[in-house]
Amino acid sequence: MLTMPAAALANKKRMILGVTGASGMIFARKTLQMLEADARVGKIHLVISGAGLKVLREELELDLTKSAEVAAALAGRPARKTEYLLDSDIGASIASGSYPVSGMIVIPCSTGSLAQIAHGISQTLIERAADVCLKEKRPVILAVRDTPLSRVHLRNMLAAQEAGAEIFPMTPAFYHRPKTIDDLVTQFCCRVLAHLGLEQKKQFQWQGEKRRP
Ligand SMILES: Cc1cc2nc3c(=O)[nH]c(=O)nc-3n(C[C@H](O)[C@H](O)[C@H](O)COP(=O)(O)O)c2cc1C
């Protein structure tokens, strides 16, 4: 939990990290680790959908039975800046536009959550927080994952993008020549964070074909 003095926090970003029930939980873990390690970030509000918890158990084999330990379990290390909120907690701070945040990342974003967010249906905290960010013109990144994509998914992506969200399909790049899955995931997360003004030193920058070291 957060121990930082209020004055110090005032200059730092508050971020919302939504984790929904699509495959790719390794990306959620890396995003949380990078936000935790980033000195520009003061607080992270972590919300995981019911299906998200299920997929987390499946892919990362996490024990998520104790709410107080979920953030650290996902980060794989202490997560002192992170507040874990239940997806049913519709009265949480981030459900209101009066509570300032710098942006929201939904990673991974299921096609179900995409549909809800694209159409402003705010039944869960993740959906409501995204709805609030959109109405307040705050950045929302949806790292949508499924394959293949139906026409419904494609229409919903367009609707969400028109409403102000940024569609960031979970399609990692290979031109930086990743040696490990961690390289692959890290570079994708670097791109996501850069879109929220959190450029990372370890982000690969293409310098042109002939300038490769
Ligand atoms: C192991 C597992 C993997 C899944 N992978 C995906 C996926 O990649 N993309 C997707 O849209 N839904 C996927 N689903 C289905 C969603 O979890 C399901 O539609 C759920 O209702 C989404 O709810 P949420 O958006 O509230 O998390 C998966 C489900 C399970 C159990």
Side-chain angles (χ1 to χ4, degrees):
M1 270 302 289
L2 194 73
T3 51
M4 194 175 290
L9 179 60
N11 301 320
K12 299 203 177 235
K13 287 178 188 271
R14 289 181 181 145
M15 306 300 302
I16 304 172
L17 177 59
V19 177
T20 67
S23 187
M25 290 299 166
I26 192 172
F27 290 86
R29 166 169 278 178
K30 181 60 70 180
T31 305
L32 179 57
Q33 289 173 345
M34 289 168 84
L35 288 173
E36 271 283 340
D38 196 315
R40 295 163 292 184
V41 176
K43 187 162 184 169
I44 303 141
H45 300 278
L46 170 68
V47 198
I48 307 176
S49 71
L53 290 169
K54 211 181 263 282
V55 182
L56 269 171
R57 276 189 210 102
E58 199 58 48
E59 294 189 346
L60 302 186
E61 296 180 53
L62 300 183
D63 174 13
L64 301 167
T65 44
K66 293 186 191 137
S67 284
E69 292 168 15
V70 168
L74 178 56
R77 56 184 78 149
R80 295 192 184 87
K81 294 194 275 188
T82 303
E83 174 192 41
Y84 173 62
L85 296 164
L86 294 177
D87 201 22
S88 58
D89 185 4
I90 210 70
S93 55
I94 58 170
S96 169
S98 63
Y99 181 80
V101 297
S102 302
M104 175 167 183
I105 309 167
V106 185
I107 184 167
C109 181
S110 74
T111 50
S113 284
L114 164 72
Q116 300 283 94
I117 294 166
H119 297 282
I121 303 167
S122 326
Q123 288 173 338
T124 65
L125 185 56
I126 292 176
E127 293 158 11
R128 171 64 186 163
D131 199 36
V132 166
C133 284
L134 292 177
K135 84 181 172 75
E136 301 292 337
K137 309 259 183 291
R138 296 170 185 160
V140 176
I141 290 192
L142 305 179
V144 178
R145 205 229 77 101
D146 214 335
T147 196
L149 294 165
S150 72
R151 199 173 291 198
V152 173
H153 302 149
L154 294 167
R155 284 203 184 106
N156 286 339
M157 284 197 215
L158 183 59
Q161 206 262 1
E162 284 172 348
E166 200 162 350
I167 304 300
F168 233 99
M170 245 163 43
T171 51
F174 291 86
Y175 57 85
H176 61 279
R177 298 185 183 169
K179 304 274 183 301
T180 62
I181 291 177
D182 189 64
D183 281 350
L184 199 94
V185 172
T186 300
Q187 286 304 319
F188 181 83
C189 294
C190 283
R191 292 295 302 274
V192 168
L193 294 178
H195 277 246
L196 291 164
L198 292 170
E199 285 79 6
Q200 304 290 308
K201 287 202 184 89
K202 52 188 154 194
Q203 184 177 328
F204 174 84
Q205 285 182 13
W206 176 252
Q207 303 291 340
E209 265 176 296
K210 304 219 168 83
R211 285 173 220 133
R212 193 183 276 284

